[in-house]
Amino acid sequence: MVSPNGHPEVFTRAVAGLKAAKPRAEIELEEVPAPQRLAPYSYAVSGIVLKDGEEVATGRLILLHDPAGHEAWDGTMRLVTYVTAELEPDLAADPLLPAVGWTWLTDALEAEEATHTAIAGTVTQTISTRFGDLAGPPAAADIEIRASWTPTCEDLGAHLLAWCAVLASTAGLPPPGVTALHGSRMMA
């Protein structure tokens, strides 16, 4: 079935579910151009986490739809994400950080009951030290989470809320309703 805009109805409903989900107040979402060569139909949203007026994490969530499906996707739709946040250098040096970052994603999907299959991804931690003409500020550290999964339901609102929870975790925001006791930018 095709919707009035020429897109498959299943894709139109999936996009509507993404648009209908409302994140917590610290997260600003914006529709952005989606990659055109990865699938016949795509939609993308970017997110920014603001903490005390400062941008502390960013990300992008992309919905891909191929009515013919992909064997690696194990379905006709795929959600792809990239999330990054600046960290304190001592946190970025923690060898357990990648496993914790991955758990933020899997736990968020489970908590939102965002059913899925074929999940895959990477968590990268970096510490950068500036030299020469770039010398100045102390070392900078980041975490990047890149992942993709196949949703097993058509209403993708739960998937967007799970993705927003990952953004919040990378930014070090406490869970909704909890007040942070210290000024840390990230809590494991």
Side-chain angles (χ1 to χ4, degrees):
M1 303 280 302
V2 176
S3 65
N5 64 8
H7 296 134
E9 283 187 21
V10 67
F11 177 74
T12 300
R13 285 192 304 272
V15 170
L18 291 173
K19 289 180 176 182
K22 300 298 178 211
R24 57 193 286 179
E26 301 93 338
I27 300 175
E28 293 181 2
L29 300 179
E30 177 182 12
E31 187 175 333
V32 294
Q36 299 298 306
R37 295 183 287 195
L38 300 177
Y41 304 95
S42 58
Y43 172 81
V45 62
S46 70
I48 297 172
V49 179
L50 298 173
K51 189 173 179 183
D52 300 325
E54 181 183 341
E55 182 180 302
V56 293
T58 61
R60 181 172 285 196
L61 182 67
I62 302 166
L63 169 63
L64 304 174
H65 175 59
D66 187 340
H70 280 279
E71 186 177 326
W73 292 4
D74 192 24
T76 61
M77 289 202 202
R78 191 77 173 162
L79 287 166
V80 179
T81 188
Y82 168 78
V83 173
T84 186
E86 194 172 311
L87 305 174
E88 299 296 328
D90 58 327
L91 291 173
D94 187 335
L96 298 176
L97 181 63
V100 170
W102 187 252
T103 301
W104 290 334
L105 174 62
T106 58
D107 286 355
L109 289 167
E110 183 179 324
E112 292 295 337
E113 298 180 7
T115 58
H116 62 280
T117 187
I119 190 169
T122 62
V123 178
T124 305
Q125 62 201 81
T126 60
I127 299 175
S128 302
T129 305
R130 296 174 177 98
F131 296 96
D133 289 344
L134 294 177
D142 298 277
I143 183 172
E144 295 178 357
I145 301 171
R146 296 176 185 262
S148 64
W149 63 93
T150 300
T152 57
C153 58
E154 288 184 17
D155 181 1
L156 300 188
H159 292 268
L160 182 100
L161 293 176
W163 177 71
C164 287
V166 174
L167 275 171
S169 293
T170 60
L173 296 180
V178 175
T179 302
L181 297 177
H182 56 79
S184 175
R185 294 188 66 174
M186 186 194 92
M187 297 179 293

